[in-house]
Amino acid sequence: MYNKETDNLPEPDCIPGCLHPRRTYNLVGHRDAEKLFIKSLDSGRMHHGWLVTGVPGIGKATLAYRMIRYALGGKPLLPNSLDVPKTDIVSQKLESLGHGNFKLIRIPYDYKTKKLRTEIPVNSIRELSDFFRSTAAEDNALRVCLIDSADNLNLNSQNALLKLLEEPPARSLVILLSASPGRLLPTIRSRCIGLSLKSIGDKEIESWLSSRVNASQSVIDNVVSLSRGAPGKAISLYNNFDRVIKPLGRYLKGLSNVNSSLDFNLINDLALIKNRSARKLFWEALQDTLHSQAIHSCTGDWKGAFEPIKIIKTSEEWQLLWRKTVEMQQLETKLNIDKKTALIDILNAIGS
């Protein structure tokens, strides 16, 4: 297992442009989930497995680290709360990945290829048995493992984890994070307490974001509208505003011009490997806009981030374009098709 603090390597469990969840102490929403965990831990009959699910950026990892600080003996600022402060010794040890009772499992770094691997190998899970059965290194006897993300477990890794969940060691806690829990073995899901995190309301995200960034109201409105109720995604959109939202808005506005043309600088930029995160944001923002356009064509109501597209199409035609955009994004990931061609085909189809 590599150590970001000493090896200065990329961390796969962090949204680009965002503070790492183990260094994040404020959580937007999810109060019911926190109360359920506190009640379970304080009862002395806490379940050994917890599965935290929700869309990317919703706050799964931020919540998990709040749970872990509390479980390892961190002292919250208020009663019935997971607000353990940054100054707490437990928080400091977790930030440096130096707490002896905590183990983080995530995609490992391959020193030969000098890249992150694409899966969590079975050996990473097998190491857990030794970790849980070893003598606790800290005063608190509870030992905690965070798997971020369980979506990266291959089948062998899942089967190894299942054995651990079926016969959990004493005083053990395993927290799994997943944006696609349907990919996990049903037997893993059934052996965990599920915490399904719901979308955060636009007003709450707007208030939270406004207190953290220096931006105009129009920028905030666009970011919040496209965030899909996920604060982490809102931050990513804000950090990529010039690369994603601004050029997309320019493209959509230009569709009303007879001589409109594609922005090939944008297409070339989003095709670069280093900009894969921005490309994903662009695809999703485009999909959300087409979805809003389909509703607008049918009802006359507009809830999108931009102005309605000034092209006359039926609601069914907009829906077909939305579906094609979703399918194209999936295909370019599965089949590794040319990324420039995929974007050009979609953008031309919208404008035709």
Side-chain angles (χ1 to χ4, degrees), residues 55 202 221-230 233-234 237 244-245 248 252 280-296 301-309 318-319 321-323 325-326 329 346 350:
V55 299
D202 285 357
D221 290 343
N222 283 333
V223 166
V224 172
S225 178
L226 294 169
S227 69
R228 297 185 178 181
K233 185 174 181 180
L237 284 165
V244 174
I245 297 181
L248 177 57
L252 295 171
K280 183 174 184 293
L281 290 172
F282 185 89
W283 273 121
E284 292 174 351
L286 182 60
Q287 291 160 13
D288 290 352
T289 301
L290 293 174
H291 183 262
S292 296
Q293 190 70 28
I295 295 175
H296 173 70
D301 294 331
W302 178 253
K303 297 182 179 180
F306 309 98
E307 294 295 324
I309 302 173
W318 288 119
Q319 288 180 42
L321 285 169
W322 168 79
R323 190 175 299 115
T325 306
V326 173
Q329 183 187 12
I346 285 296
I350 294 172

Side-chain angles (χ1 to χ4, degrees), residues 205-214 220:
I205 294 181
E206 178 183 349
S207 176
W208 174 82
L209 186 63
S210 298
S211 67
R212 285 161 174 76
V213 301
N214 182 20
I220 295 290

Side-chain angles (χ1 to χ4, degrees), residues 13 15 21-22 27-28 30 33-34 51-68 146-151 175-181 195-198 230-232:
D13 52 344
I15 294 178
R22 70 173 180 272
L27 179 66
V28 187
H30 314 314
E34 292 204 347
L51 175 59
V52 184
T53 62
V55 299
I58 198 68
K60 298 186 296 296
T62 300
L63 171 62
Y65 277 103
R66 288 167 67 87
M67 295 162 62
I68 293 165
L146 173 64
I147 301 179
D148 187 4
S149 154
D151 298 336
I175 301 175
L176 298 85
L177 309 185
S178 175
S180 303
L195 290 180
S196 179
L197 305 189
K198 307 303 181 184

Side-chain angles (χ1 to χ4, degrees), residues 249-262 308-312 347 350-352:
R250 189 167 56 244
Y251 159 76
L252 295 171
K253 187 176 182 179
L255 289 175
S256 60
N257 299 328
V258 176
N259 297 320
S260 63
S261 59
L262 295 182
I309 302 173
K310 296 180 179 179
I311 296 180
I312 299 176
L347 297 181
I350 294 172
S352 63

